[in-house]
Amino acid sequence: MDVSDALRARIPGFPGYANEMGRRLSDEMIRSYVGEAVADASARLDRGMSDRVGALLMRAGFINQAAFGHFEYAKVTDEALARLLASDFALCALADRGKAVSASDFDTWITRIETGFDARDTLMASL
């Protein structure tokens, strides 16, 4: 199973980044997947809507034009797409850990999610 297939196993209908429409939808699906995990973990742990969680949910809810704007129309190599898919997969795997994250590990988990989004944005902006 390749990374695209592994992402489709988590996110049914994940189109990948082959074309402009797929890029926009894939970006939205990844952000949504992560945002839902953060919201679910926060609710399960009764963490409420802290400024940090709220900011992360906003980040998951809206496209980062600074990162995505260039990527949307760029001619991207297969190698670069593979790096982005690997970044997406790592971020989704991290999001999946939210189902079992403890209250004492929540802030560390949130930091890792933020770092994952930062890495993904940097990668997209560089393509």
Side-chain angles (χ1 to χ4, degrees):
M1 175 184 305
D2 70 6
V3 178
S4 292
D5 291 333
L7 284 167
R8 281 185 200 94
R10 279 186 167 88
I11 305 170
F14 180 79
Y17 297 106
N19 58 50
E20 293 165 14
M21 183 59 87
R23 289 177 186 187
R24 194 166 274 282
L25 184 56
S26 293
D27 175 65
E28 181 181 329
M29 291 173 122
I30 294 295
R31 288 183 290 103
S32 178
Y33 188 88
V34 175
E36 287 177 21
V38 170
D40 290 347
S42 182
R44 178 178 59 80
L45 296 171
D46 198 26
R47 294 298 290 244
M49 188 57 67
S50 69
D51 289 345
R52 191 169 183 204
V53 169
L56 189 52
L57 292 177
M58 289 295 287
R59 188 173 185 182
F62 295 96
I63 196 166
N64 179 344
Q65 284 296 338
F68 189 80
H70 170 73
F71 170 66
E72 184 174 18
Y73 302 109
K75 291 188 179 186
V76 183
T77 66
D78 289 343
E79 180 184 333
L81 287 179
R83 287 194 319 265
L84 181 56
L85 288 167
S87 177
D88 286 350
F89 181 80
L91 191 55
C92 288
L94 183 58
D96 288 342
R97 294 184 202 155
K99 294 173 186 154
V101 71
S102 67
S104 62
D105 291 332
F106 183 78
D107 286 332
T108 300
W109 178 71
I110 289 294
T111 298
R112 289 183 179 149
I113 296 274
E114 291 166 338
T115 301
F117 269 136
D118 290 345
R120 183 174 186 269
D121 288 349
T122 299
L123 183 56
M124 263 197 256
S126 73
L127 298 178

